[in-house]
Amino acid sequence: YHQKICLHCDKVNRKSSHICHNGGIYKRPFKESFEETPMLVAVLTYMGYGILTLFGYLRDFLREWKIEKCHNATEREEQKDFVPLYQDFENFYTRNLYMRIRDSWNRPICSVPGAKFDILERVSYDYNWTFKYTGRIVNDVINMGSYNYLGFAENSGVCADAAAEMTLKYGVGVCSTRREIGNLDKHEELEKLVAKFLGVEASMAFGMGFATNSMNIPALVGKGCLILSDELNHASLVLGARLSGATIRVFKHNNMQSLEKLLKDAIVHGQPRTHRPWKKILILVEGIYSMEGSIVHLPDIIALKKKYKAYLYLDEAHSIGALGPTGRGVVEYFGLDPRDVDIMMGTFTKSFGAAGGYIGGTKELVDYLRTHSHSAVYATSMSPPVVEQIITSMKCIMGEDGTTLGQERVQQLAENTRYFRRKLQEMGFIIYGNDDSPVVPMMLYMPAKIGAFGREMLKRNIGVVVVGFPATPIIESRARFCVSAAHTKEMLDTALNVINEVGDLLQLKYSRHRLVPLLDRPFDETTYEENED
Amino acid sequence: MDVKRFKEYISWLYYQYLLVTCSYVLEPWEQSIFNTVLLTVVAMVVYTAYVFIPIHIRLALEFFSSLCGGQHESTVAIMS
């Protein structure tokens, strides 16, 4: 059993799912579950990986002795005595395991990735080393993989018309950086709008979400500073932290005891050898973690940050627009003050249907970043139609275009999320994460089921994203569904029926907790567990 | 109809075997090698069980019966 101790309630909860009720800092029940891997499934998964490793060694041996033709990259003859390039586990894994099921990834899409899309069909005659297109297009595949949370990825409607008009007025390329001649009046308008949307003093927008993290963290911290980052942070945060040159310490995922221990050690002992105090302590967390579907314990972190005088960098890539009663993100979801978070970062790629990232905070912070950020000084600024898409969609969400379309979409997303998660849990799949997060990871575990699930779902006209090692731990491979406001209830029902069918076919219903089907009773505050064993 | 359902059930069981042992992702010649090795091992286990288990059970029963039976005889001797 997995014991979790709440900081704010004194209950030790013995199950692996956890509900917090506290009138103090958590204003609403915070329910998340990470069910443990069943022992038999773990053993069988390791056995499966063992068999594939043995066959991988056999194939490598055949390739080495030229009995079999080698399709992948190897060193040249002259370089055979140098340090080997392709001998590590990652390359072994790619050659022998990833290649066998590679047809579930990089599928070419030939329409807008809205609620439904079209895929080019492809076939492989040499076991996924090369692909050929048959020329057929698979139409109207239900999209359960795109980060299209509010349904703004569309090629018709107000946003698309506004973007088209902007292309006719400004063109598409900007041909300069923000500091030189690439600062359009549209960029200034966007930044004021983003600051208003988030409730902060000022904000700054960048052309690429990944570059926002990796280029701005080095501008904010340097040598002599301490970064405390979550175990499961995104690659852009990890890259930014490493590029900055600060000392990095990692705390367990969403675990406030681990974070508090690290903070105490940092304040008491200071820097490693000289014991001088740290110049700055920066806590890096994300709003929603996309591989787990978990929401950060933001009230706890803000309480810790105030107690130990650290700074907080919140990456709301997946949670902006998707959480909160009016879509303002994880800060509004918990009912907190945006001024408590020092640096609010987010991306426009997910809920706004555009591209790029932003950083919001006090005016001094944003003015400092305008001159010192690598992305602002050297990278080309955002393209005008993209800027217009963001402005129009943000105005729609805020309700400033005079309609209630944005508010309806936010509510539709919340309903879809709860419905989808509830149904999947009732069917008996293991689902990770918080009940309110629109990212739904469903566990598959065994390597053969990763490839089988992707293919079977595509045969039945549903497009899903399956994830394995190295993005997840090696036995915890999963299928990740992203619920969207553009999905109607019929689409979700179709998808759920298909998932049920494929789950029975592949025996994916591992969960040992059976959820009681929801009767029409109000959720009363005294129920702590709705699960039955 | 029953024969058809039975055959479908057997093919579903074979599909589960392919998924659990990851033979689903292997090429056909690799699947043949794996199946051959597995069947050989299973055949050897069955043969060993057939040859040795009856003898081992008989020896074990004799050992335990000599223990308990020997005890009864000695207590009877003391009583009488």
Side-chain angles (χ1 to χ4, degrees), chain A residues 44 47-48 51-52 55 59 62 100-101 127 446-448 452 455-456 504-507, chain B residues 12 15-16 18-35:
Chain A
L44 290 176
M47 182 191 85
I51 295 173
L52 286 177
F55 275 102
R59 300 293 292 270
L62 296 178
R100 294 181 193 272
I101 44 176
Y127 301 103
M446 297 182 200
R455 287 175 201 157
E456 294 293 324
D504 280 330
L505 176 67
L506 297 175
Q507 291 286 290
Chain B
W12 180 80
Y15 188 60
Q16 297 308 307
L18 285 180
L19 285 176
V20 168
T21 59
C22 298
S23 303
Y24 177 83
V25 301
L26 297 175
E27 299 179 21
W29 58 273
E30 291 170 329
Q31 280 184 359
S32 319
I33 296 180
F34 180 73
N35 288 339

Side-chain angles (χ1 to χ4, degrees), chain A residues 103-109 119-120 122 454-455 458 462-464:
Chain A
D103 57 310
S104 299
W105 289 283
N106 296 334
R107 291 183 184 142
I109 297 177
I119 294 189
L120 286 180
R122 38 177 204 177
R455 287 175 201 157
L458 188 59
I462 312 254
V464 295

Side-chain angles (χ1 to χ4, degrees), chain A residues 202-240:
Chain A
S203 80
M204 183 170 181
F206 302 92
M208 189 174 148
F210 190 98
T212 311
N213 272 334
S214 49
M215 296 294 122
N216 284 310
I217 298 178
L220 295 168
V221 290
K223 274 178 99 96
C225 304
L226 177 65
I227 291 185
L228 298 173
S229 102
D230 190 293
E231 207 176 20
L232 299 177
N233 268 339
H234 190 252
S236 55
L237 290 164
V238 172
L239 186 63

Side-chain angles (χ1 to χ4, degrees), chain A residues 215-289:
Chain A
M215 296 294 122
N216 284 310
I217 298 178
L220 295 168
V221 290
K223 274 178 99 96
C225 304
L226 177 65
I227 291 185
L228 298 173
S229 102
D230 190 293
E231 207 176 20
L232 299 177
N233 268 339
H234 190 252
S236 55
L237 290 164
V238 172
L239 186 63
R242 287 183 187 169
L243 277 176
S244 67
T247 313
I248 308 177
R249 300 210 178 132
V250 172
F251 63 92
K252 296 200 182 56
H253 176 61
N254 241 354
N255 188 332
M256 297 299 112
Q257 285 83 20
S258 175
L259 177 59
E260 184 161 17
K261 180 173 184 307
L262 285 179
L263 277 167
K264 277 188 189 161
D265 283 343
I267 305 278
V268 165
H269 295 295
Q271 299 191 22
R273 273 163 309 137
T274 55
H275 293 293
R276 289 199 203 137
W278 294 102
K279 284 195 213 154
K280 265 181 247 184
I281 302 182
L282 185 66
I283 306 176
L284 290 183
V285 285
E286 291 187 38
I288 292 185
Y289 292 90

